[in-house]
Amino acid sequence: MGGVVVIGAGVGGCYAAFRLVTGSRDVTLYESGYRVGGRIRSVPVRGGGWAELGAMRLNREAAPVMALLDHLGLADSLTPFPFGRPENFVKARGNLIRQRDFADAVRIPYAVGKRSHGTDADGLTLEAVESAVLGFGRLRETYHRAVRERRPADAASARARYRTARGTAVVRGEPLEKVSWPQVLAAALDREALRLVADTGGYDVHTGGAAPWIDVLFHTPPQAEYVTLSGGMQSLPRALHSAFEAAGGRTRWGRRLCRVAFADRPGGPYELTFALEDRTGRDTGRRERVRAGTVVLALPQDALRRIRTEPGIVGPSWRDDLEAVEPVRAAKLFLAYDEPWWRACGVETGRSTTDLPLRQLWYAPGGAPRLLLAAYPSGPSAAFWDRFGAGPPYHVPGGADTFDGGPPAPAAAVAHAHRLLCHMHGVRARPPVAACRQDWGRPPYPAAWHIWRTGRATEELAARMRAPASMGAPASGGALYVVSDCWTPDPGSIPGTLGCAEQVLREHLALPRPPWPT
């Protein structure tokens, strides 16, 4: 019988492989591409800093992740990641205001009046949640204060009281678990307030379930302190992978899992069939078969969909459970300039939002002073940029090496984004010297993150996804597990991914707690 095979070298796969090999397991890690990180990808920028094409920040209150970074020797590379600042802009309905202007309802271009929790998108969102889950704001404050002060019993008490309040919440006669997030907003906010949230929140209002999204909001600190890694966010999966190989683990690149079957008998070890792909992602036509006693699928929804399984490998609810979450598309367009022209507008860092197709933009992200994350649309807004997909890539003489290995951006998209930026800020800036763009809505990554569908987020379903085999417990010779952020309480996040991995490792693979707090 083979050892443990981990499929996928994203942060979840690298973490699971690292924990298993240091737990004296024989582990081989398979990856369809030729880099670690998955949806975490850091591209170096000439002159310093990073273009974070995927995940770009961490919440410092995520203690297990902070402890892991310390264990890996990365804690000293944590640096502040500025979020919304008072001087940042909001461009909506043709008006340009500062974030601080939301303190005066008269100055904003929406007739929302004075509100109990403020007139910006976050305040109106909290108002809607409070109308559904009584005492939400107070319970969230109590919970996070206890977490910061390291009072676990008080934190657990606040969380339990929140779950009770959420469990009895009703929206227009329906239990909270059966309504969507837009229904919660519509039940509490008038038309102008709804428009403000949609226009200025930065992200498109998603259509997923209300209950799991309110859970995410509860576990997000009211005044979150965000940080990033000065060596790029990808340094986390890279450090995990390096530690994995240093402990004796093996990595096989360019191998995409396409089929899982039983090697000998039902319930026995598995035979895995891999398609060998080249560095462009093209299938070479060659196949490789491997035996494994235990398989950990560290993959997102779409990659799991495409795996063919022999009858009996997974349970009867597998296909339906896969669809309990829906993919959300997002795209990032980075523009590098010869000078940070936005400083003349009174802005140096942080995030501005707009109802223009840019949706949200970040100044000097990743420690790169001349860089703009110029457009970061998500959901339906991302489709606007499809019209610029064809045509030559953007090129300026001397700018080709600005992004070391970053994917090119269409010249037409860059030109349009630059025009919108100048219009939004009221400036005439010189065109960018370089650009790169990542569309998390195109293969091999057809989603940036996932959200729970209404009525589907249950602990029972999440548990089935972690251990989907209908038969084949470890004692019978084979075991198959899933490590993914998709079916967790915090989908789309590093803490969600690592938390799922820990559950699989401890509950099903009998690993002890790691030497750092989890």
Side-chain angles (χ1 to χ4, degrees):
M1 184 191 305
V4 180
V5 166
V6 178
I7 313 294
V11 68
C14 289
Y15 180 83
F18 163 64
R19 287 272 282 121
L20 285 162
V21 77
T22 54
S24 301
R25 308 294 176 94
D26 179 43
V27 186
T28 305
L29 176 64
Y30 286 80
E31 165 59 36
S32 62
Y34 290 84
R35 67 173 182 87
V36 300
R39 286 172 288 166
I40 303 176
R41 185 177 180 186
S42 306
V43 173
V45 180
R46 185 177 62 189
W50 304 86
E52 297 289 2
L53 303 185
M56 58 184 178
R57 66 183 189 270
L58 291 164
N59 169 12
R60 191 180 278 279
E61 200 174 283
V65 181
M66 296 298 112
L68 174 62
L69 292 172
D70 185 57
H71 179 80
L72 295 171
L74 294 174
D76 289 343
S77 67
L78 288 169
T79 59
F81 185 90
F83 204 82
R85 301 171 64 89
E87 68 272 17
N88 288 156
F89 291 111
V90 175
K91 175 81 170 184
R93 290 184 168 176
N95 293 268
L96 184 66
I97 61 175
R98 305 271 182 176
Q99 190 66 44
R100 58 175 171 257
D101 293 332
F102 280 94
D104 182 0
V106 176
R107 304 192 66 176
I108 62 177
Y110 297 86
V112 294
K114 188 175 181 180
R115 316 296 285 226
S116 56
H117 296 286
T119 55
D120 63 359
D122 289 343
L124 293 171
T125 297
L126 178 57
E127 179 180 325
V129 175
E130 283 273 10
S131 71
V133 182
L134 299 180
F136 173 87
R138 174 179 50 80
L139 290 170
R140 183 173 66 161
E141 288 277 2
T142 301
Y143 170 75
H144 287 285
R145 188 182 308 113
V147 170
R148 289 193 302 272
E149 296 172 359
R150 299 186 179 182
R151 294 183 282 111
D154 291 340
S157 174
R159 185 170 59 242
R161 282 180 284 147
Y162 157 70
R163 290 180 67 86
T164 298
R166 199 205 74 172
T168 58
V170 175
V171 177
R172 290 181 173 171
E174 291 287 342
L176 185 64
E177 284 77 9
K178 293 186 177 181
V179 301
S180 68
W181 175 238
Q183 286 176 297
V184 168
L185 293 175
L189 304 178
D190 57 33
R191 184 174 299 179
E192 280 287 278
L194 287 170
R195 194 68 257 163
L196 186 152
V197 171
D199 290 347
T200 69
Y203 298 94
D204 284 9
V205 175
H206 69 76
T207 58
W213 182 242
I214 291 174
D215 283 349
V216 171
L217 297 178
F218 179 81
H219 288 98
T220 302
Q223 302 296 328
E225 180 186 358
Y226 290 107
V227 291
T228 190
L229 292 167
S230 60
M233 289 293 290
Q234 200 175 345
S235 60
L236 170 55
R238 282 173 175 157
L240 288 167
H241 182 256
S242 295
F244 161 70
E245 292 203 323
R250 302 172 299 277
T251 308
R252 303 282 282 167
W253 303 103
R255 285 158 172 81
R256 176 178 56 82
L257 180 65
C258 54
R259 184 173 185 267
V260 181
F262 290 117
D264 300 312
R265 65 189 187 285
Y270 301 108
E271 181 183 79
L272 310 178
T273 302
F274 293 91
L276 275 62
E277 299 183 342
D278 63 19
R279 290 186 175 273
T280 68
R282 183 181 63 86
D283 188 339
T284 64
R286 297 164 56 202
R287 297 293 181 265
E288 181 178 297
R289 290 175 175 80
V290 175
R291 280 195 174 202
T294 300
V295 178
V296 177
L297 302 173
L299 300 169
Q301 181 191 51
D302 186 69
L304 293 171
R305 280 176 179 154
R306 290 185 281 119
I307 299 171
R308 291 181 290 115
T309 56
E310 181 180 290
I313 294 290
V314 293
S317 64
W318 167 252
R319 291 295 169 187
D320 185 58
D321 289 348
L322 272 176
E323 304 307 319
V325 296
E326 62 180 270
V328 178
R329 182 184 178 187
K332 288 184 174 183
L333 173 64
F334 286 89
L335 302 182
Y337 289 88
D338 56 3
E339 61 180 14
W341 52 261
W342 48 90
R343 291 183 180 177
C345 303
V347 176
E348 291 196 17
T349 60
R351 179 185 79 146
S352 290
T353 63
T354 178
D355 58 359
L356 297 172
L358 304 171
R359 295 300 283 132
Q360 55 176 313
L361 50 144
W362 298 75
Y363 307 93
R370 298 182 298 109
L371 187 67
L372 267 183
L373 172 44
Y376 184 10
S378 63
S381 292
F384 170 86
W385 297 90
D386 290 345
R387 68 192 68 186
F388 305 111
Y394 187 74
H395 174 71
V396 172
D401 62 346
T402 298
F403 298 102
D404 185 6
V414 173
H416 190 70
H418 179 69
R419 285 194 296 270
L420 291 177
L421 288 168
C422 291
H423 168 70
M424 175 175 172
H425 294 82
V427 300
R428 297 183 65 182
R430 288 195 293 269
V433 297
C436 74
R437 182 174 188 265
Q438 176 70 53
D439 187 345
W440 300 103
R442 293 284 183 263
Y445 301 104
W449 58 83
H450 298 75
I451 55 174
W452 284 96
R453 298 183 190 274
T454 302
R456 300 302 305 278
T458 66
E459 293 179 2
E460 293 79 8
L461 190 152
R464 287 199 304 269
M465 284 303 304
R466 291 193 297 272
S470 61
M471 59 189 302
S476 66
L480 183 141
Y481 306 106
V482 171
V483 166
S484 178
D485 67 280
C486 300
W487 299 270
T488 72
D490 196 3
S493 74
I494 292 173
T497 306
L498 300 185
C500 177
E502 270 302 317
Q503 284 183 286
V504 168
L505 295 170
R506 297 216 297 259
E507 293 175 6
H508 299 288
L509 294 172
L511 259 64
R513 289 180 179 272
W516 58 89
T518 59

